[in-house]
Amino acid sequence: MRLCDEFRDIIQTCLAGGSSSEFSMAFEASILSDSFQERLLEISFRTTYFRGKKCVLVKVTDVTQSKEFAKLNGHIANREMMFASITHELRTPLNCILLMLREANTSEDIPIELKEQLIQPSLVSSQLLLSLTNDILDYTKLRRDKLQLHFEEFNIRKKINEIAQLFEAQARFKGLTLKVDVDREVPETIYSEPNRLGQILINFMSNALKFTSRGCITVQVTRFNDSLRFGVTDTGLGIKEEDKAKLFRAFGKIGGGQHSEMNTQGIGLGLMVSNSLAQMLGAEEVMVESEYGVGSVFYFEIPLRKPSKVVSDLKIRLNKKKNSWPLDQEVKKWKSCRCNRILVADDNDFNVIAMKRQLEGLNFIVEAAHDGQQALDILNAKDKNYTACEEPSCSRFKLIISDLDMPKLNGFQLLQALNSSLLGQKESLQLPFVIASATEDEVLEECYKLGMASHLLKPLTPE
């Protein structure tokens, strides 16, 4: 490469200073290679000494590939953030759709025939859409290492039965038997991540229903010493040995033959995401045993955990704060109090309508706010029509359920206002505060520190 006049001027500038002066500079230049391809060079100049003489060290680095990689990574990151944003927005209307359909499915005013022909298929389809949305959202989070787990104690038998109930209508429609088999040795409550555990089993159940046209599907929980095995067994099409390697790849759908005919839904992310989630819960990996033409079983084993001392101590410290409440104890108190009002704050009108119907069905009086500031104003306002009962712990509202993402004041900011004693009414500081959101955002950890009683993951269920 010939030294151009500009380079010569730079070198002369470097050498022009005295013996004690130092000089350095760097810039990028674009050139054409011998094959007429454009290359990006990073060129730096620095004064140094060699055998007592001042000279200029010139370093030329071809950064074409590294710049292209950085640009490509930026495009990938933007694409994944776009997917995450889209799927997050999809969950908001899905929450309302599922709440309304569940309400209609339990209504005594709607004929059973109409439920079976219209409502239940719509409910199953909405649940499938939610599952696909979750898979895409979780895939982008896994790629960015942003997926978080929130471990807690929960009733495992109740959780398994709830999952099975989601597929009862679809199994009945296909003429399949759906069974739940929980080992007697399985404890009543376990310490794990209920939402993610449920997500894995829902994925297994969805796949089993796709590929099973006759026979039985069984969801099982078995205890092995200090571990629990969760699995779903079906009498469906089965998987050929050479196809098993494709199962846990991203977009790894098995093609050809009956698999293509039966697997018209899904995008091939479910098992990959489920395998990653199972490993985060403590499993080595998701295992599959299958015989083509006979059926399959998908399962994983997780250790029987106990809440760590750190987590237990944190819960004790949180529960000592004014805004931290064990909700099950609070609900028991409400039964003896006739002032059963709940404040719901959500900027989506349809979500408010759906939650209001469900809560009123449980004999609560619901007052709605459409943003955090309006909720704050309602809590500050005096209600002339409100008369407290004789219960010493009675307050105007028994509970606040707030969306996380709202205009003016979001759920976190509303909780900050409560926690900072910005309200004029002392009793409002003692209310249990619950946040409902479509994702398990990092800000939720801060919400718990501020005294949030619980978090509800949308779409909400009656339970």
Side-chain angles (χ1 to χ4, degrees), residues 301-331:
E301 288 186 24
I302 61 173
L304 264 175
R305 299 173 182 263
K306 292 182 180 180
S308 66
K309 188 176 187 302
V310 174
V311 173
S312 299
D313 288 349
L314 177 62
K315 285 185 175 180
I316 291 169
R317 289 199 302 272
L318 287 177
N319 285 332
K320 285 181 179 178
K321 289 188 175 183
K322 288 184 179 180
N323 294 337
S324 298
W325 290 82
L327 282 179
D328 55 343
Q329 295 177 22
E330 284 301 303
V331 172

Side-chain angles (χ1 to χ4, degrees), residues 410-456:
N410 60 33
F412 176 68
Q413 291 166 335
L414 176 59
L415 182 57
Q416 277 185 316
L418 288 164
N419 195 65
S420 301
S421 303
L422 294 182
L423 296 176
Q425 302 177 51
K426 183 180 178 182
E427 63 268 19
S428 55
L429 292 174
Q430 300 176 357
L431 289 175
F433 192 100
V434 175
I435 280 183
S437 66
T439 57
E440 294 173 333
D441 203 286
E442 294 175 4
V443 75
L444 292 174
E445 294 297 332
E446 296 301 316
C447 290
Y448 274 113
K449 291 177 183 177
L450 286 175
M452 179 176 71
S454 185
H455 169 242
L456 299 176

Side-chain angles (χ1 to χ4, degrees), residues 375-395:
L376 203 60
D377 293 340
I378 290 171
L379 289 166
N380 267 324
K382 298 289 185 180
D383 189 348
K384 296 179 181 178
N385 298 321
Y386 171 71
T387 305
C389 68
E390 295 78 13
E391 185 69 26
S393 61
C394 177
S395 61

Side-chain angles (χ1 to χ4, degrees), residues 243-263:
D243 288 329
K244 288 181 181 179
K246 302 176 185 177
L247 293 174
F248 302 102
R249 297 175 187 167
F251 311 103
K253 295 178 70 173
I254 298 174
Q258 285 182 275
H259 277 104
S260 293
E261 295 174 10
M262 301 175 79
N263 190 17

Side-chain angles (χ1 to χ4, degrees), residues 79-99:
R79 184 185 64 187
E80 289 176 350
M81 287 181 69
M82 180 190 70
F83 277 136
S85 179
I86 290 172
T87 50
H88 180 274
E89 292 304 315
L90 280 173
R91 288 175 66 105
T92 298
L94 264 176
N95 174 55
C96 180
I97 292 169
L98 283 165
L99 281 174

Side-chain angles (χ1 to χ4, degrees), residues 22-71:
E22 291 185 3
F23 182 88
S24 65
M25 71 172 296
F27 63 91
E28 291 182 354
S30 180
I31 65 167
L32 285 177
S33 66
D34 293 338
S35 58
F36 298 100
Q37 291 183 331
E38 187 177 24
R39 310 298 296 180
L40 188 64
L41 304 180
E42 188 176 83
I43 306 168
S44 63
F45 299 83
R46 184 169 64 87
T47 55
T48 187
Y49 288 87
F50 181 70
R51 293 180 179 177
K53 293 183 178 180
K54 190 176 184 181
C55 57
V56 179
L57 179 66
V58 182
K59 180 182 178 184
V60 180
T61 308
D62 188 336
V63 294
T64 308
Q65 282 190 327
S66 62
K67 292 289 185 180
E68 287 177 353
F69 278 131
K71 187 177 180 180

Side-chain angles (χ1 to χ4, degrees), residues 277-314:
L277 290 176
Q279 290 173 340
M280 292 176 75
L281 293 177
E284 290 187 13
E285 60 181 346
V286 170
M287 306 295 293
V288 54
E289 296 175 5
S290 184
E291 184 177 348
Y292 189 70
V294 177
S296 306
V297 54
F298 285 81
Y299 65 93
F300 61 97
E301 288 186 24
I302 61 173
L304 264 175
R305 299 173 182 263
K306 292 182 180 180
S308 66
K309 188 176 187 302
V310 174
V311 173
S312 299
D313 288 349
L314 177 62

